[in-house]
Amino acid sequence: MSASPIAIRIPTLPRVAAVATLATALAIGLAAFYRYVDQYVRYRGFGPPVSLVAPQARGHIVSFTFASGALGGRTVNPLVYLPAGYASHPGTRYPVLYLLHGTPGDPRTAFVNSLHLGPRMDALSAGHLIRPMLVVMPPGSPSTYDRATEWANGPLAGAGWFRYLTHDLVRAVDSRYRTIPARAGRAIAGYSSGADAALNAILWHPSTYGVAEAWSGDFRQSPRSVGKIPALVTHFSALQTAPIRAAGVQRAGDHVYLYAGQHDPVLPMTLSVAGALRHAHVRTRLDVTGGGHAWELWASRMNGALRYASDHLAAPR
Amino acid sequence: MRHVPAVARRLLLVPIFAAAYGWQDRLHGLPGPRSELALPLREPSHQAAVPLIGLVVVWLAAFAIAALVVPVRVLPRPLAALVRGLVTFASIAVLQAVSLQLVRQATMGFAWHAALTTALPFIAGICAAVATLVASPPRRGPALAAEEVAAPSTERTSRLTANASTGMP
């Protein structure tokens, strides 16, 4: 019997070594792949937040719970950045900045883990570039990837996300923390759909907030988030309401800051809204930046946005 | 590998290519000319770029292993290398574009432009073709199969002839 012409016998030991090496390389690669995906899920690719100021000069991020009537009694857990010295100055009241995440999103992933709010506030405060202030980061949906609410009131009972934001949350924060409970002591800002909500908040409640910042907003309400009800779509589309309601913002003496990247599809809407505000003589700052609708843009402009809010809010007293 | 079902062997490609992305991430700190946006899940631009030499090493190794796991069976090897290279190029380009669009929340136009103007899809496609040409086991063509079939038949004919001459059944 002739041997098969294609039979090749490889010595056992090198074959075992080769297989072991390949298996090890595969294991290392898979572990690295897991870490690569995990760091995106946790920190959006920015790495963990690290505060570089002395421990005694650092603020703290805490959470509190309250039940919102606008959400049908649902309990929510906003995060709050308390500045250094909050506990040691019990007689001091602080201004408040409300930060709104986009969709999908949640406050911890967006502002704490990705945009590194804590280290930024610590560094800016320690460098006397901003006034000490509270930063409140509420959730805008039942969970990170839940159906989008876009911070708008839906048609069903318990879907009053805008009222929760502008009424229930403000009252909860003012009752629990030493805030300046007035227009001059409140700012509201957000990115993407959070930007839409921030501008809606000041358009519909110009006497509640003194400052609004809209980072890469498109100012158009998605019909699906409000049950496709035309009246609600219009109500929460600042692109349509800004020309009408800007006069109220101007009378209140509020400040508005908008920016969008030049490669961002929302740029035309941002320009349109800025134009409507300026036409009504609202104190408006508009920046057109490089970049698109991206985390890298929001991260690069975060310090400037915090400083804008601080500069136009009342000082702690 | 021949005894592993074909479906299982193809499923093995998933962890192989996931590990390749993992190795890309491990090597992104190396010096040298870089391919931008090779790691779309890393937001800062300087962390999303990977050295070209790292890309070549990782993807050559990955496709060499893939060529052993799923060897060329039907097509001539050069044609198979071309097909695998083109399929790889298209797959990586789609993956990059979709990743950039979702992760960076960019427009599809921007995402596709970025995916098709970075080095990664081209390098991966070339590595797939080269690895298939070099590392794929020899194809078991008709001539070899016929020789294997012929060998046992020849042996049986010889045995029958021998039995007939001795009177054994």
Side-chain angles (χ1 to χ4, degrees), chain A residues 217-244:
Chain A
D218 83 337
F219 310 116
R220 294 176 300 183
Q221 180 59 47
S222 301
R224 192 172 51 180
S225 301
V226 292
K228 298 183 182 179
I229 295 177
L232 290 176
V233 173
T234 301
H235 186 96
F236 292 108
S237 295
L239 203 58
Q240 298 179 61
T241 60
I244 304 165

Side-chain angles (χ1 to χ4, degrees), chain A residues 127-176:
Chain A
H128 304 289
L129 297 171
I130 60 171
R131 299 179 174 125
M133 58 184 175
L134 273 65
V135 182
V136 177
M137 295 158 279
S141 61
S143 64
T144 304
Y145 294 103
D146 214 312
R147 190 161 23 141
T149 70
E150 296 186 352
W151 304 93
N153 288 337
L156 302 176
W161 289 91
F162 190 65
R163 178 166 172 82
Y164 140 77
L165 171 67
T166 56
H167 181 265
D168 296 358
L169 176 67
V170 170
R171 292 179 70 174
V173 169
D174 287 347
S175 68
R176 283 166 174 75

Side-chain angles (χ1 to χ4, degrees), chain A residues 1-2 4-6 22 25-26 28-30 32-33 35-37 39-40 44-46 192 265 293-296 298, chain B residues 15-16 18-19 21-23 25-26 39-45 47 65 103-105 107 140 144 147-148 151 155:
Chain A
M1 173 180 153
S2 58
S4 166
I6 64 170
L22 282 176
L26 188 67
I28 293 172
L30 286 174
F33 179 75
R35 194 187 62 185
Y36 167 59
V37 174
Q39 62 84 33
Y40 172 75
R44 285 282 190 187
F46 288 103
S192 196
H293 201 81
W295 285 94
E296 195 169 24
W298 301 323
Chain B
I16 289 171
Y21 263 96
W23 273 104
D25 191 61
R26 283 188 70 91
L39 295 168
L41 298 189
R42 284 196 175 269
E43 284 283 349
S45 299
Q47 293 185 7
I65 297 169
V103 170
R104 303 283 179 112
Q105 300 179 47
T107 62
R140 300 181 64 194
L144 290 173
E147 191 172 348
E148 280 201 340
E155 176 193 326

Side-chain angles (χ1 to χ4, degrees), chain A residues 242-307:
Chain A
I244 304 165
R245 302 201 62 84
V249 178
Q250 190 276 333
R251 279 193 298 273
D254 298 337
H255 294 80
V256 178
Y257 172 36
L258 308 104
Y259 75 74
Q262 62 184 119
H263 300 296
D264 193 336
V266 309
L267 179 59
M269 287 73 89
T270 297
L271 296 175
S272 176
V273 167
L277 293 171
R278 284 177 167 168
H279 184 73
H281 305 290
V282 174
R283 280 176 271 196
T284 306
R285 173 177 163 180
L286 169 68
D287 288 344
V288 179
T289 74
H293 201 81
W295 285 94
E296 195 169 24
L297 173 65
W298 301 323
S300 69
R301 302 198 67 85
M302 185 72 174
N303 285 1
L306 292 172
R307 292 183 66 175

